[in-house]
Amino acid sequence: MTTQAHGDQIVISRNHPVFDLPEIVATEHGLFEQAGLDVRLAHNTPSRERESRDPIARRKEALFESERADLFNLCEWGGIDRLERNRRGGYIGYLRPAVVAQGLISFDPALGEPHDVSGIPVGVNEFTGSHYTALHLLEGTVPRDRITLEHVGPPSARLEAAATGSIRAVMLMEPYLTLALERGAHLLGCYFYRGTQVVAPHLPAERLDVYMSAVNAAVDIINADRSAWAGHIVSELDGSLAPGRLRPDYHRYTHATPFTRERFTESYAWMTSWQLTDGRSGYDTLLALR
C-alpha cells in the first residue's frame, strides 16, 4: 500500500518501535484525534534486509523526501544530516521523547572493553544512531585515528554478523540489544542518546505543538506501566524475544523538549570535527520555523 500525505492529515514515516512508541500509543489511545489532529503511521515497517548506504534512499527518509510522509524521527545528528542532504527542505521540530542506548556488543571473549576495539572494525549502519554513538562512545578511550567503523546495515544484519563472527563488535539498540545478550553476547559499553523530529516545511510550528502535546500525553501513559508496552518494542523480532524478557535498562521515555541553540551549536561543532557536515547550515537554517 502506498502512503500519501495529503490535506490536513499528518503521516508519520516509521522508525523502529522503540523510538516510535509514544506515537504508537498516542494513535492507539486516540490522543491525536482528541487534540483535533488526523494522524496516521505510514506502512513502512523496517526491513531485515541490508539498507542503502545513501541515507535519503532509506525507507523513512525516502517517504519524507517523496512527500508521502510529513515527519519522522532519528538521532539528532542524523536529523541535521538529512536536512542538509534532502531537496524537500523542512526543519527540526524538537528532541524526541525516546532516550535509548546503543550498546557496543561482542561475542568475542577477547574483547572486554571499548579500548579493545582500537583498530578493529565496529559494525554500524552509516549515518544513523549506531554510527554517531559509536564515535561518541569510542572517542573517549580510543585515538580518533584508531576508530574503525564498518557499514553492515540495519540492526538485524549487525546482530547476525556479530553472532556468526563475520565482524567482532557491533552497535545495537533495543530490542536487538536484549536479544544479543540473551544469545550470549556481552556488553563492552553503551551510550544513551535522544533524537530529533524532522518536520515537513508545510507543517506550521503551532500545529506541531498540538501534535507534541499528544505525544507527551502518550509518554505519561507509557511511564505509568512501561512493561505493558514491551510487546510493541519486540514486535519487529517476529517472536524471537518474549516481551517479558525485554530489559528495562536500555530505553526510557520523557517529554519532548526543544532543540536549543546551545545544544545545536555543540552538536554541529562535533559533526564538523568528524567531517560529518561541511558546515553549510546553522541553527537559524534548520530550526528557523520554530
Side-chain angles (χ1 to χ4, degrees):
M1 177 178 177
T2 300
T3 300
Q4 296 292 334
H6 61 279
D8 291 330
Q9 186 175 75
I10 298 174
V11 179
I12 304 168
S13 192
R14 287 179 182 260
N15 202 345
H16 294 277
V18 70
F19 302 121
D20 279 347
L21 186 60
E23 285 82 358
I24 294 169
V25 172
T27 300
E28 291 184 354
H29 279 70
L31 300 180
F32 291 127
E33 185 177 4
Q34 292 170 27
L37 298 175
D38 180 9
V39 178
R40 66 186 174 96
L41 294 156
H43 296 277
N44 63 322
T45 303
S47 167
R48 291 182 179 274
E49 298 177 1
R50 186 181 179 95
E51 293 194 41
S52 169
R53 296 185 73 167
D54 175 9
I56 297 300
R58 293 173 186 163
R59 198 163 290 100
K60 61 181 179 291
E61 290 90 341
L63 282 177
F64 181 86
E65 180 77 350
S66 62
E67 301 187 17
R68 292 179 291 160
D70 303 298
L71 45 78
F72 65 96
N73 72 71
L74 72 174
C75 68
E76 67 179 274
W77 317 282
I80 294 169
D81 175 75
R82 302 312 189 267
L83 286 173
E84 290 193 328
R85 288 177 187 265
N86 80 1
R87 295 182 299 276
R88 184 183 184 187
Y91 63 99
I92 294 174
Y94 52 81
L95 294 175
R96 71 184 176 200
V99 182
V100 178
Q102 287 277 353
L104 176 63
I105 67 98
S106 179
F107 289 83
D108 186 339
L111 303 181
E113 58 176 319
H115 191 272
D116 292 341
V117 300
S118 177
I120 293 173
V122 172
V124 301
N125 195 20
E126 278 188 338
F127 305 113
T128 69
S130 62
H131 178 172
Y132 299 110
T133 56
L135 295 177
H136 274 285
L137 175 62
L138 294 174
E139 69 182 348
T141 186
V142 177
R144 281 195 171 197
D145 62 0
R146 294 286 292 167
I147 295 175
T148 304
L149 304 185
E150 181 176 322
H151 175 72
V152 176
S156 56
R158 299 197 301 273
L159 174 54
E160 182 65 18
T164 59
S166 62
I167 192 165
R168 297 175 67 188
V170 300
M171 298 293 289
L172 292 175
M173 84 294 178
E174 294 292 21
Y176 298 92
L177 178 53
T178 290
L179 185 58
L181 297 174
E182 292 268 307
R183 291 182 176 178
H186 56 276
L187 188 66
L188 307 182
C190 68
Y191 186 96
F192 279 91
Y193 67 113
R194 294 189 71 167
T196 53
Q197 195 82 3
V198 174
V199 184
H202 71 272
L203 194 63
E206 295 78 11
R207 197 159 172 234
L208 183 66
D209 288 341
V210 177
Y211 174 98
M212 186 172 68
S213 294
V215 169
N216 285 340
V219 168
D220 293 337
I221 293 172
I222 293 168
N223 287 337
D225 183 7
R226 283 182 53 201
S227 63
W229 307 101
H232 287 71
I233 296 173
V234 304
S235 62
E236 63 180 313
L237 295 179
D238 299 326
S240 298
L241 182 70
R245 301 293 294 175
L246 181 71
R247 303 191 182 201
D249 313 281
Y250 303 117
H251 68 287
R252 55 185 180 270
Y253 300 92
T254 186
H255 283 186
T257 57
F259 193 9
T260 65
R261 184 182 294 272
E262 179 182 10
R263 179 162 179 156
F264 174 88
T265 301
E266 292 171 351
S267 294
Y268 203 61
W270 177 84
M271 290 179 68
T272 303
S273 77
W274 277 102
Q275 299 182 322
L276 296 168
T277 176
D278 60 11
R280 78 185 76 167
S281 305
Y283 184 87
D284 293 326
T285 304
L286 300 181
L287 290 96
L289 297 183
R290 295 301 295 158

